Amino acid sequence: MARFPNARVDVYGHSLGSMAGQYALSDLSREQAKRINGAWLYEGPNIYSTLNATQKKRADSYARDGRVKNYVDPWDLVAMLGNTGDDKTVGRRVLVKQSKEARKDAVQSSLDGMASMSKVWPYGLFGGFGGAVGYLKHNFTKGHMWGGYQFDADGRIVTYTERSLSQMFQVVDAGFDELGEVRGRFEKSGGGLSRSEQIWLDCGEADLMVKGMRLLAEQYQYEMSDLLDRSCGEAESTWQSMLRAAELVAPDLSSGEVLGALGSAGATEAYIRVRPEEKYERDRVEFDRIVANLDGISGQIARASEGIVETDSDLAAQLQELGD
């Protein structure tokens, strides 16, 4: 950053690289952190508990704005070091949904190791030891090296939706902690809160709640889009399968006659494929509208907060001091 003062930065890291990335990002000053476009960290132990208070504050800021994503496979022993599921992390923890095939491979590796050791040492204890060795071998050669990752049709990593709620609380809690510190500084400086300070803090709390809802909506928007895409594909597949079945049952009928026969029974393309796809698309548009509304509310709050600072020089000076 010192050598290239005008450059913006993307950070990527895996395993030890994830740990290095977590430490480096947490150690940045506020001004330096503004130059981070984003960070994508994979399968690294959670180092949050080793950070000092200043570094934790910076790590929490990444969790709030979502620029740092910390991908963890719960089946990877390395990635779960320091991760209990509820602890804070550098940035947002994203739990990867490992494929069934990868989990089967892990079990098979354990069984193979158990069988191998039982042949050398005809005792159950060593068979169990062999199973553990087999699992560790699988973990470090496949699971830890992204062997269990699933990707959707667009190349995005498949994650656990149910963890979005805990992520939301992580983001909101960290934000309220920081606002609490600011409130304390305001009260000490003036023996209470001015009207501008109170409104600015209220704006901050409202913005945190909206961002929390936006975080949930973002994940569910992805899940809904994926569901709608699959549903449209299934509707198309159902219609094509029905056509092929009808042609097999009545090979002497023309295509028009087949469509007529199906239509007389209510099995039309409009009913089976077109109408469901149109409904799915309306649902997608409606959900996109909800997300856009949340973004609009967040923008209104930000503008209101900025307006208060612009009209109150004392508040602006205090915030500048806090920022420094």
Side-chain angles (χ1 to χ4, degrees), residues 73 97-104 147-150:
D73 183 344
K97 184 178 289 187
Q98 193 176 86
S99 66
K100 293 181 180 178
E101 291 74 15
R103 292 198 292 271
K104 288 180 180 178
Y149 278 34
Q150 300 181 77

Side-chain angles (χ1 to χ4, degrees), residues 26-206:
S26 301
D27 207 40
L28 297 179
S29 69
R30 184 183 183 189
E31 291 305 312
Q32 289 172 328
K34 290 179 180 179
R35 295 169 55 191
I36 300 296
N37 285 324
W40 295 262
L41 308 172
Y42 303 89
E43 305 310 304
N46 183 6
I47 58 94
Y48 187 92
S49 63
T50 70
L51 302 176
N52 62 38
T54 301
Q55 292 169 330
K56 286 180 178 178
K57 186 175 181 179
R58 179 64 52 227
D60 291 341
S61 73
Y62 298 129
R64 288 196 301 278
D65 62 34
R67 281 183 296 164
V68 177
K69 294 181 174 58
N70 205 323
Y71 292 89
V72 174
D73 183 344
W75 285 69
D76 177 15
L77 299 178
V78 175
M80 292 310 293
L81 290 172
N83 275 307
T84 65
D86 298 320
D87 293 336
K88 290 185 175 182
T89 57
V90 178
R92 292 182 186 171
R93 180 192 292 110
V94 182
L95 283 187
V96 176
K97 184 178 289 187
Q98 193 176 86
S99 66
K100 293 181 180 178
E101 291 74 15
R103 292 198 292 271
K104 288 180 180 178
D105 285 348
V107 172
Q108 189 60 52
S109 295
S110 298
L111 293 174
D112 290 345
M114 187 181 298
S116 176
M117 289 297 287
S118 294
K119 291 178 182 177
V120 179
W121 303 92
Y123 303 103
L125 174 64
F126 291 100
F129 176 75
V133 171
Y135 178 77
L136 287 172
K137 181 179 179 182
H138 163 83
N139 181 78
F140 286 106
T141 58
K142 292 185 178 179
H144 183 57
M145 302 304 294
W146 301 342
Y149 278 34
Q150 300 181 77
F151 301 90
D152 65 13
D154 296 320
R156 295 175 297 192
I157 297 173
V158 179
T159 60
Y160 282 99
T161 303
E162 57 266 27
R163 288 294 178 175
S164 294
L165 189 59
S166 65
Q167 290 176 15
M168 183 195 75
F169 283 121
Q170 176 186 347
V171 171
V172 174
D173 286 348
F176 273 109
D177 288 344
E178 185 165 321
L179 282 178
E181 293 178 10
V182 175
R183 178 184 292 272
R185 295 283 291 275
F186 283 169
E187 291 174 342
K188 288 181 180 178
S189 65
L193 294 176
S194 70
R195 180 172 175 78
S196 294
E197 290 169 344
Q198 183 62 63
I199 295 175
W200 186 87
L201 289 169
D202 289 343
C203 285
E205 292 179 357

Side-chain angles (χ1 to χ4, degrees), residues 201-221:
L201 289 169
D202 289 343
C203 285
E205 292 179 357
D207 188 48
L208 279 172
M209 297 307 296
V210 173
K211 285 181 176 177
M213 290 187 286
R214 180 63 176 81
L215 176 61
L216 275 180
E218 180 182 297
Q219 181 63 38
Y220 285 117
Q221 183 182 33

Side-chain angles (χ1 to χ4, degrees), residues 152 154 156 217-232 280-281 283-285 287-288:
D152 65 13
D154 296 320
R156 295 175 297 192
E218 180 182 297
Q219 181 63 38
Y220 285 117
Q221 183 182 33
Y222 162 71
E223 294 288 341
M224 174 173 278
S225 179
D226 182 60
L227 175 62
L228 296 182
D229 288 341
R230 286 189 283 109
S231 298
C232 288
Y280 298 149
E281 192 56 39
D283 292 340
R284 191 200 306 268
V285 171
F287 205 88
D288 289 345

